[in-house]
Every structure is written in structure tokens, then in C-alpha cells.
Amino acid sequence: EVPLLQHTSLCQSRRSRILEGSFLVSTEFANTATSSFLPKPPKHEGPLVIQTPCFLAKTSTDWLKTNGLKAKKLNLYQVLAPNAFSPVEEFVPILQKTVSSTLHEKVMMQFEWHDGTMKNIHVDLPVLYNYQKLLAKMVRIYEKQIDWLSVASRRIWGNVYEKRVVILVDISATNSMYIIHIQHYLRLLLEEQMSDKDYFNIIAFGSDIVPWQLELVPSQPENLQKAWRWVLSLQCRGSRNFMSALRQAVEVDFKYKDKHKSQGLYLLTTGIPDQETHLISTYVAEACRGFDLQLHVCLFSVMEDVDSSGIIPARYANPTETAIAFKEIVHAANGRFHWFGEAGIFESDDITVIVVSSSNMLVTKEKRKPQKLLSPKPTALSLARMV
């Protein structure tokens, strides 16, 4: 038998080794990057599967110029115009005054025109029925375009249409938990929307800026693969020195912006920049004014703006305040704002312009004097119609 004292000593020694081992495991666990515990997409670190875009890159505004209701001559005013008549007014000498005809008003519908005047409208039911069918078809086209803008890389970046592109990537310390997400979003962009560009570059920034290349390089497959391998090496640190990254892109990559067309900056970020919004807005307004250069913002909303180490950014704003600030910056740069999260798209200028356009075409202008409007009714031809 082991003496009691010796047994106690053995137990304490064993417990000490167990505690020491637990401490080592705990320390190793704590020192491991938090991003390493996030689930990685399949083949996350594999080479890019580069695709050749099979669509004509254009903004939603340009898309509407050929696919919108006005382009298809389905604007409500365009449809009603052949049967729209202005009120008849003539000067009657014997009465010495201008008299308005009331016959049209009795047999036709009164409708406020796009210029604010009133028109007498002959409502032809077969024409309206055909118009409704055409509108239903257009709705399906609009829905298909919105669905297309809501998937794959376009869900994150919108439609990247320029030929010379610089991508600005936020790798501040607050993104430590989300670096795999950020890398995956960059992978989708490089695979799906960059092979048809002329030149590109990527600039990562925390407190310091880390450009992939010192200037724009051709968007060849080998360069896209090299860029992806570099993206996999990115590590998050520091705050969000967006202004330095912006100046690097404008003053180095786009130093000859006056000699080129179709140039775009795409910012992927999760929070408010270190610098004040009005300073950034003033700078980009001056940098983009008179040139074919736009700054687009892709705001990725995450749950918190503090990482596992408790690092707080130089400036703090909640998601709504951050979105308002970036919309001001985007407006100054003639760009587009895209706001998304893991749950989906919160706001997208690419989608909004399509929705608003369709609404504006289908809804008449608000009446100056609100009044109850009656439903359209069929009108018959009459002598008044022939006058």
C-alpha cells in the first residue's frame, strides 16, 4: 500500500500537471486567431475559378435606357396620348369672352398630365386590357433583373461595370472575426466580374495601407490568381485609415485619370472611417469632378464593432449612422451605395433605381389639391369627341 502522505503527494503532482496542461491549451486557444474557428467556404484557399462575364456590364440607369417602361413606350402618358385631348377654349365675339367647352368633360375622364395640365381622356377598354398584359410582362422583366442583382458577387459589390478598377478593402482589427467573409467576397469578385476589365489593383488598409501592386496591372488570369493568393495572406490590424488608402488610389493608380474613361473605386468596409465624413466628401468631390471616376461603397454590416480582443475603432457609429455617412460620401463621388449583411441586402442603389423608375412611370403625379379619384370607366364615341 502507498502511504497516505505519499499518495497525497502523487495526487497533487498529477493535479499540477493536469492544470499546467490545461493552462497551455487555454493559452494556445486564446492566442489563435478568432477567424480560424469560422467555417470556411468549400475550397476557400484553392485557386480561382475565373469566369468570363456573359453580360454587358452597365449601371441600372443605363439598363433602364433600353429596358425601362419609357424605352418600351409603355409610359402611361405615352399609352394615353393618342386619346388625350386638351380642353377646347375659344373666344366668342358676341359674349366678348373666352368660353370653354363642357361637352368633352361630360363624356370623357379628366386626367392630370405630366406637365400639370388637365386632359380629357377617352378610355378604350381593349387598349387598357392589352396595356395591363404588357405591364405584367415588364414586371417579370424587372423582377428578373432585380433577382440577378441580388445573387453571387453582385449581392456584395453591385454590378462592377468600369474597365479600370481599384478595390479598397478594410482590414482593421475590428474585422478579425470576419476576415474569411471578406476574403470570400473578394474571391467572388475576382472570379465573376474582373476578367473582362482592362486594369485593376487592390489596396488593403487598417492603420497603414497595404497595396497589392504599386499601380494598376492588366486583368489577366495570372494576375487575378496572384491577387487572390495575396488576399489569403491579409491580416487584420489597426483602425480604419480610409483617407490614406483613398489618396493612394486617386493619386497613384488614377494619377492619369484625365486620360482614361470608365474608372471606378470600390470600397468594402464594415464601419465608419477614422477621418471625418465632410473631409472625405470634400476630397472625393474634388477628385472625381470633371473625370470619369466614381467611388462606390459596399458596407458590410456585422453584429458588433469590437473584436474578441476588445479593440475599439478610432471612431464609432452605429450601422444607421455609418450608412448615412457613406451615402453622403457616395453622393459627392457620383457613385453608388450598397449595404448588405449576412441576412441579405439592406439597401442597393442598383436595385432602388429600378424600383423607383417603375413606380414613377406607373403612378401619376400627386394632385396639388387632394381629391378622391374615381375608377376609370369606358367612354363612348360621341359628337363631342368628333368636334
Side-chain angles (χ1 to χ4, degrees), residues 73-129:
K73 299 190 182 302
L74 290 176
N75 181 327
L76 184 58
Y77 298 113
Q78 291 172 303
V79 172
L80 294 177
N83 292 317
F85 303 91
S86 299
V88 177
E89 293 185 352
E90 289 188 3
F91 180 77
V92 180
I94 194 170
L95 298 177
Q96 291 295 302
K97 65 179 181 179
T98 300
V99 177
S100 299
S101 171
T102 60
L103 289 176
H104 286 78
E105 295 181 8
K106 293 178 181 179
V107 297
M108 296 185 183
M109 293 294 300
Q110 280 65 58
F111 189 81
E112 184 176 351
W113 213 239
H114 58 80
D115 58 2
T117 61
M118 293 301 295
K119 296 281 188 181
N120 295 314
I121 305 293
H122 167 62
V123 181
D124 190 328
L125 284 184
V127 171
L128 284 182
Y129 178 69

Side-chain angles (χ1 to χ4, degrees), residues 257-274:
K257 59 182 181 291
D258 57 325
K259 302 184 187 309
H260 300 281
K261 300 292 184 182
S262 191
Q263 303 167 108
L265 280 159
Y266 286 80
L267 166 65
L268 176 62
T269 185
T270 59
I272 199 82
D274 292 352

Side-chain angles (χ1 to χ4, degrees), residues 363-382:
V363 180
T364 59
K365 292 171 63 178
E366 183 179 350
K367 300 290 183 181
R368 293 186 180 86
K369 295 180 180 179
Q371 54 183 303
K372 185 177 180 180
L373 297 177
L374 300 175
S375 300
K377 58 186 178 181
T379 55
L381 292 174
S382 64

Side-chain angles (χ1 to χ4, degrees), residues 298-311:
C298 307
L299 176 61
F300 173 34
S301 271
V302 296
M303 294 302 293
E304 296 180 357
D305 209 13
V306 179
D307 73 356
S308 59
S309 302
I311 299 174

Side-chain angles (χ1 to χ4, degrees), residues 160-386:
V160 179
Y161 64 91
E162 295 92 347
K163 287 297 185 181
R164 297 166 63 87
V165 175
V166 172
I167 306 157
L168 305 175
V169 185
D170 174 4
I171 57 165
S172 57
T174 53
N175 289 336
S176 297
M177 280 289 291
Y178 309 100
I179 185 61
I180 291 176
H181 294 75
I182 291 169
Q183 289 170 338
H184 182 62
Y185 298 154
L186 283 164
R187 180 188 181 105
L188 290 176
L189 178 64
L190 294 172
E191 284 184 332
E192 297 176 4
Q193 298 200 60
M194 296 303 294
S195 65
D196 66 338
K197 308 308 176 194
D198 292 337
Y199 292 89
F200 82 107
N201 196 6
I202 305 174
I203 301 175
F205 66 93
S207 295
D208 301 318
I209 60 168
V210 187
W212 171 53
Q213 297 292 328
L214 295 179
E215 57 185 14
L216 292 164
V217 297
S219 296
Q220 300 167 347
E222 56 267 30
N223 284 336
L224 294 175
Q225 297 287 2
K226 289 177 182 176
W228 169 238
R229 289 194 291 273
W230 176 81
V231 166
L232 286 172
S233 70
L234 292 176
Q235 295 182 346
C236 296
R237 57 171 63 92
S239 56
R240 294 189 183 95
N241 189 3
F242 172 53
M243 193 63 166
S244 290
L246 182 61
R247 290 177 65 93
Q248 169 80 13
V250 170
E251 297 169 19
V252 178
D253 290 278
F254 293 127
K255 60 185 175 183
Y256 300 120
K257 59 182 181 291
D258 57 325
K259 302 184 187 309
H260 300 281
K261 300 292 184 182
S262 191
Q263 303 167 108
L265 280 159
Y266 286 80
L267 166 65
L268 176 62
T269 185
T270 59
I272 199 82
D274 292 352
Q275 294 79 22
E276 294 292 336
T277 302
H278 74 277
L279 292 176
I280 299 174
S281 297
T282 301
Y283 178 79
V284 296
E286 183 65 28
C288 297
R289 185 180 298 118
F291 305 102
D292 190 356
L293 173 64
Q294 294 82 33
L295 167 65
H296 313 289
V297 172
C298 307
L299 176 61
F300 173 34
S301 271
V302 296
M303 294 302 293
E304 296 180 357
D305 209 13
V306 179
D307 73 356
S308 59
S309 302
I311 299 174
I312 301 175
R315 291 180 67 210
Y316 175 79
N318 65 39
T320 301
E321 293 168 340
T322 302
I324 291 172
F326 276 122
K327 282 193 277 190
E328 179 183 328
I329 293 169
V330 161
H331 179 74
N334 300 317
R336 293 167 293 142
F337 178 66
H338 196 75
W339 182 15
F340 69 100
E342 291 184 72
I345 298 173
F346 303 133
E347 186 173 339
S348 168
D349 285 348
D350 284 341
I351 293 174
T352 299
V353 71
I354 295 176
V355 174
V356 171
S357 174
S358 62
S359 299
N360 287 345
M361 293 299 182
L362 294 173
V363 180
T364 59
K365 292 171 63 178
E366 183 179 350
K367 300 290 183 181
R368 293 186 180 86
K369 295 180 180 179
Q371 54 183 303
K372 185 177 180 180
L373 297 177
L374 300 175
S375 300
K377 58 186 178 181
T379 55
L381 292 174
S382 64
L383 290 174
R385 171 81 190 280
M386 302 179 184

